[in-house]
Amino acid sequence: MKEKGLLVVISGPSGTGKGTICKALLEKNDFWLSVSATTRNPRAGEVDGVNYYFLNKEEFKNKIDSKDFLEYAEVYGNYYGTPKSNVLAAIDNGKDVVLEIDIQGALRVKESYPEGVFIFILPPSMEELKKRIINRGSETNESLMTRFKAAYKEINYVSKYNYAVVNDTVKEAVKKIESIITAERCRVDRVKENILDSKEGIIHEQLYD
Ligand code: 5GP
């Protein structure tokens, strides 16, 4: 039987650097990053189908109605969703899939796919988080405060996750995530069936071939 891929959910408050971590993780590893759909406007340099699938509200709603999303959530006034069929097909094909999504979305995925690996990215400190949100420069003052206040509350959700990774430096955070994925691939409840199947195969060969 073909081993399924892992579903790795990387999540955490805005400004913790999860996007940068995912980019670095993908550069070094053969993982498949799911491209989300969103109703927000593209930022400078963002490309449709690469960074996001940019949809209008009606197109997004139609996809909700046809149950095309593994999860979706409203984040800061815009909708974001993970297209379901591509993700599940990649996992069935043995690919490890990475989702970089907000906390509400991650908790929804956990309900429908509890065997996923749920990783919470933490800032080194709240002060550092504030600096990072400000330095990003893409937010208005109002949305900056909204994001910071939300981040402050969202840290409490860490207890619902399997792993917490502090983003001191991107390099170290990526190393920790790679170690988590390596360990998860070796978990007995994930590999047991394959080991037992191949053991049966050997016995079968010796008895009957
Ligand atoms: P941004 O607008 O800065 O690209 O993303 C805003 C937030 O939406 C980030 O926290 C990002 O992780 C989250 N996000 C991106 N794609 C998805 C998705 O498919 N589902 C959910 N629930 N959140 C997403």
Side-chain angles (χ1 to χ4, degrees), residues 36-47:
S36 298
T38 182
T39 59
R40 87 148 158 72
N41 292 326
R43 293 184 187 132
E46 284 185 333
V47 177

Side-chain angles (χ1 to χ4, degrees), residues 65-133:
D65 292 344
S66 14
K67 306 213 178 323
D68 285 352
F69 292 124
L70 183 62
E71 62 73 36
Y72 68 91
E74 193 184 345
V75 188
Y76 311 117
N78 291 303
Y79 284 92
Y80 295 81
T82 306
K84 183 161 59 184
S85 57
N86 295 349
V87 169
L88 298 183
I91 292 172
D92 281 343
N93 271 320
K95 274 264 164 209
D96 295 322
V97 175
V98 176
L99 306 185
E100 188 245 296
I101 60 177
D102 90 313
I103 294 168
Q104 310 165 66
L107 297 181
R108 283 198 192 128
V109 175
K110 200 173 176 213
E111 278 167 22
S112 62
Y113 202 91
E115 62 271 45
V117 182
F118 296 85
I119 304 176
F120 195 95
I121 307 295
L122 285 159
S125 66
M126 290 315 284
E127 202 41 50
E128 182 59 31
L129 178 71
K130 199 169 173 186
K131 267 196 225 149
R132 287 182 190 182
I133 297 179

Side-chain angles (χ1 to χ4, degrees), residues 35-43 45-56 59-60 80:
V35 177
S36 298
T38 182
T39 59
R40 87 148 158 72
N41 292 326
R43 293 184 187 132
E46 284 185 333
V47 177
D48 187 38
V50 176
N51 304 91
Y52 282 106
Y53 296 108
F54 294 100
L55 306 180
N56 62 37
E59 290 167 327
F60 199 97
Y80 295 81

Side-chain angles (χ1 to χ4, degrees), residues 11-13 16 21 120-125 132 155 158 164-168:
S11 168
T16 47
I21 291 175
F120 195 95
I121 307 295
L122 285 159
S125 66
R132 287 182 190 182
I155 301 268
V158 65
V165 168
V166 176
N167 182 16
D168 279 318

